[in-house]
Amino acid sequence: MQRIIIAIALACKPKLLIADEPTTALDVTIQAQILEMMKELQRENETAMLMITHDLGVVADMCDKCAVIYAGEIVEHGSLEDIFDRPKHPYTIGLFGSIPNLDDDRKRLQAIPGLMIDPTELPKHCSYYSRCSNKMPQCEEYDPVLVEVEPGHYVKCLYAAGRGEN
């Protein structure tokens, strides 16, 4: 079914394809086929793609740039290498710490502490504050803005941006 929907979406040769969880509930073989078909159609039609997914493996396979969202806000964005090789935001670091790694012999994955905040009641300060292991007093005073920490790599965190006193 996904193949048909993707083919229909690309039949009009759009400039932008928005793919929201295109491989959810698919087995690994079908997922790989869908992703390969999307890449091929994207190349043929010179279509840009915005991929929305929770699957970091799909991101690694399909994307050039990546944005990490927490509580409805971008907390970090940059090239794939920036995010995968040099994550800066504590949430991004926590996401990568919760992924199984065959080269690591840890028995337990690292969980992100606490619970997600209610998105209908966002605080006036950093939305990740209650879960953050790097929080500082300034983090509770105001909501940080995205700051460029390396060329093209942005993070919404006082600690990661080197703006706090610890």
Side-chain angles (χ1 to χ4, degrees):
M1 182 58 109
Q2 268 99 332
R3 290 180 210 188
I4 295 167
I5 293 169
I6 292 165
I8 290 169
L10 289 169
C12 299
K13 298 189 181 195
K15 296 287 181 200
L16 173 66
L17 174 65
I18 300 173
D20 188 356
E21 298 285 359
T23 59
T24 298
L26 297 178
D27 69 59
V28 179
T29 305
I30 300 298
Q31 176 178 318
Q33 291 172 1
I34 293 290
L35 294 175
E36 191 54 43
M37 183 189 80
M38 289 174 74
K39 283 186 211 175
E40 189 177 309
L41 291 170
Q42 182 185 16
R43 274 191 304 270
E44 287 173 9
N45 298 321
E46 297 179 358
T47 301
M49 186 173 1
L50 174 63
M51 175 80 64
I52 302 165
T53 183
H54 289 89
D55 188 331
L56 291 171
V58 170
V59 172
D61 186 40
M62 296 290 293
C63 302
D64 300 318
K65 296 184 179 188
C66 178
V68 177
I69 297 175
Y70 182 79
E73 299 176 306
I74 293 175
V75 294
E76 184 166 5
H77 74 87
S79 70
L80 202 60
E81 291 78 21
D82 290 335
I83 305 302
F84 278 65
D85 297 341
R86 297 177 305 282
K88 302 289 186 205
H89 194 278
Y91 179 63
T92 308
I93 293 166
L95 286 177
F96 284 108
S98 66
I99 298 172
N101 182 343
L102 296 175
D103 297 330
D104 192 347
D105 44 341
R106 286 184 293 165
K107 295 201 182 342
R108 295 184 59 97
L109 296 176
Q110 205 167 355
I112 297 173
L115 299 172
M116 172 75 181
I117 62 172
D118 182 346
T120 64
E121 297 180 17
L122 294 176
K124 297 206 184 297
H125 55 76
C126 175
S127 58
Y128 196 66
Y129 180 81
S130 65
R131 302 180 80 182
C132 187
S133 58
N134 296 324
K135 62 184 156 203
M136 303 174 294
Q138 304 92 305
C139 301
E140 199 171 22
E141 294 173 16
Y142 64 93
D143 194 19
V145 296
L146 281 167
V147 173
E148 191 171 27
V149 292
E150 299 170 341
H153 187 181
Y154 296 82
V155 67
K156 185 179 189 253
C157 174
L158 297 173
Y159 179 83
R163 296 228 171 141
E165 299 160 12
N166 216 354

